[in-house]
Structures are given as C-alpha cells and as structure tokens.
Amino acid sequence: VNGLGILGLVLLLGGFYLEETGKAGRKHIYYNVLNTIGSGALVIYAWYFKTWIFVILNTVWFFIALYYICCEK
C-alpha cells in the first residue's frame, strides 16, 4: 500500500510540475491523466489508513480531473 501512496504522490507532483513550468495547463490531457491516476491511487491509500478527509479530498480531485479528460475538449 505504501508503494501506491508513493505512486500517487509522484503523479500528482508531476502534474503540478508540468503546470507550474508551463508544459501543460489545467485542461491538458497529460496533466489530467496524472491527476486522475494519482488521486485515484491516493484514495485507495487513504482508505486503507482510514484517513477520511484525504479520501474525500482525493475523490473530489479524481472526479474533477476525470471530468476534464472526458468532457472538456
């Protein structure tokens, strides 16, 4: 489970880095794929450790990123 948490962390920070350096914007597919997979991994990680506030945070993050993948073109 710790590996899943690390993966989620790395993916979210990777997306943040891409946005901050101007390599990908909020509506860019790479940014949102990283956020979707990363936040999904962190939902599982937070659920395992029963840290409900982070389950909620990352679930919302997951669905927002998924929305931009599916619905915003």
Side-chain angles (χ1 to χ4, degrees):
V1 174
N2 285 331
L4 195 58
I6 292 169
L7 174 67
L9 172 75
V10 168
L11 292 175
L12 286 182
L13 289 177
F16 178 71
Y17 171 80
L18 289 176
E19 183 183 25
E20 288 296 310
T21 58
K23 297 180 192 314
R26 289 181 309 178
K27 293 184 180 181
H28 196 277
I29 188 72
Y30 295 133
Y31 174 77
N32 287 301
V33 167
L34 290 173
N35 278 311
T36 301
I37 297 170
S39 61
L42 288 175
V43 167
I44 296 166
Y45 179 82
W47 190 281
Y48 180 82
F49 288 105
K50 297 177 176 46
T51 52
W52 306 119
I53 194 73
F54 291 108
V55 171
I56 294 167
L57 171 69
N58 285 294
T59 299
V60 170
W61 197 321
F62 174 85
F63 282 110
I64 291 170
L66 189 62
Y67 170 81
Y68 278 108
I69 291 172
C70 297
C71 303
E72 290 285 320
K73 301 288 179 191

